[in-house]
Amino acid sequence: MRRLFHLSDVHFGPHHQPEVARAAAALVAERQPDLVLLSGDLTQRAKPAQFRAARSFVDGLARPVLVVPGNHDVPLYRVWERLFAPFGAYRRHFARELEPVFRDEELAVAGVNTAHAWTLKNGRLRRRQLAGLAAFFAGEPPGRCRIVVAHHQLVPAPGARSRVAMRRAQAVAAAYARAGVELVVSGHLHEAFVLPSDEAFPGLGPPFLIVHCGTTTSDRGRGRERRAHSCTWIEIDGEAIALSMLRHDPASGRFAERERHRFPRRRPPAAAAGDIIRAATGRTRREEGR
């Protein structure tokens, strides 16, 4: 069994809530997850001091952490930097790698960078990113759980008035399914939800789980989580993926479970790397020969 802790949108800066961050850190110290997943928006305005505070928080967890940047980790008002070095501050003050990976005997986890210089509401993944993702998963044995960590959402929150989602979301979801992905975790919307992919993208192939985290330590929760803080505890064994959706309780100062889900795992078939890459990028053999 592997145990993962997913948090997102910590927004170090004006909207960050230090007491909630301490509660999240206490939960990690208590439960000792095998891996922490942090799906972007470490800062509010990509300032050096905010990145340093985020780095200190992550280091203080004293667990393996896989982090991807979000759109708030790109400078908004420093236009020259935003245009020519959008992740310069992130790399200088937090982490060099924008798309980190993690692998052990039971997990294969790939971070993807959906934020770009002018990304505000809806992120994107380029074909070369999907090809790299497919290549990473191509050699994994069928029993190893394949997980993607992204900042932007594949689908809108259920019941939300805004229907904004990632650009080319259907093509991205199809690439995930063909690569044998079982779980996609993300943030950005500041509202938590869980959705099997076949409910949003019917007929794309083997379904995977979409697990969306709200804002864990910011005061900018939205929708059903207005002014709320959430995170997700994930347990994966050979038979199922179990999710515990947690929300911060101001009265106790701790995160408490508000709902639980359990989904049976599927076994993605083994496939040749070239076949998976062609499927993920949408290229045929004829196009490759051009």
Side-chain angles (χ1 to χ4, degrees), residues 7 10 12 36 38 42 51-67 94:
L7 65 163
V10 291
F12 278 84
V36 176
L38 177 49
L42 284 69
F51 278 125
R52 287 194 292 269
R55 178 79 265 174
S56 177
F57 170 75
V58 167
D59 289 343
L61 297 179
R63 303 301 301 163
V65 183
L66 188 145
V67 185
F94 192 82

Side-chain angles (χ1 to χ4, degrees), residues 44-127:
Q44 181 63 23
R45 283 292 173 256
K47 295 183 177 180
Q50 294 171 5
F51 278 125
R52 287 194 292 269
R55 178 79 265 174
S56 177
F57 170 75
V58 167
D59 289 343
L61 297 179
R63 303 301 301 163
V65 183
L66 188 145
V67 185
V68 296
N71 54 291
H72 275 263
D73 300 320
V74 174
L76 179 61
Y77 301 116
R78 305 194 302 274
V79 178
W80 190 260
E81 185 178 351
R82 184 181 183 91
L83 181 60
F84 293 105
F87 296 101
Y90 180 91
R91 284 180 158 131
R92 284 193 304 273
H93 300 286
F94 192 82
R96 296 288 306 170
E97 181 57 61
L98 302 182
E99 295 191 317
V101 298
F102 174 91
R103 181 189 283 113
D104 67 11
E105 292 301 313
E106 298 184 36
L107 302 175
V109 188
V112 293
N113 178 24
T114 59
H116 299 277
W118 300 108
T119 300
L120 292 174
K121 294 296 183 184
N122 51 339
R124 62 176 176 172
L125 285 174
R126 297 185 173 95
R127 286 182 183 273

Side-chain angles (χ1 to χ4, degrees), residues 25-46:
L27 185 65
V28 171
E30 175 186 340
R31 297 192 179 186
Q32 294 288 294
D34 298 295
L35 181 64
V36 176
L37 310 175
L38 177 49
S39 53
D41 278 1
L42 284 69
T43 70
Q44 181 63 23
R45 283 292 173 256

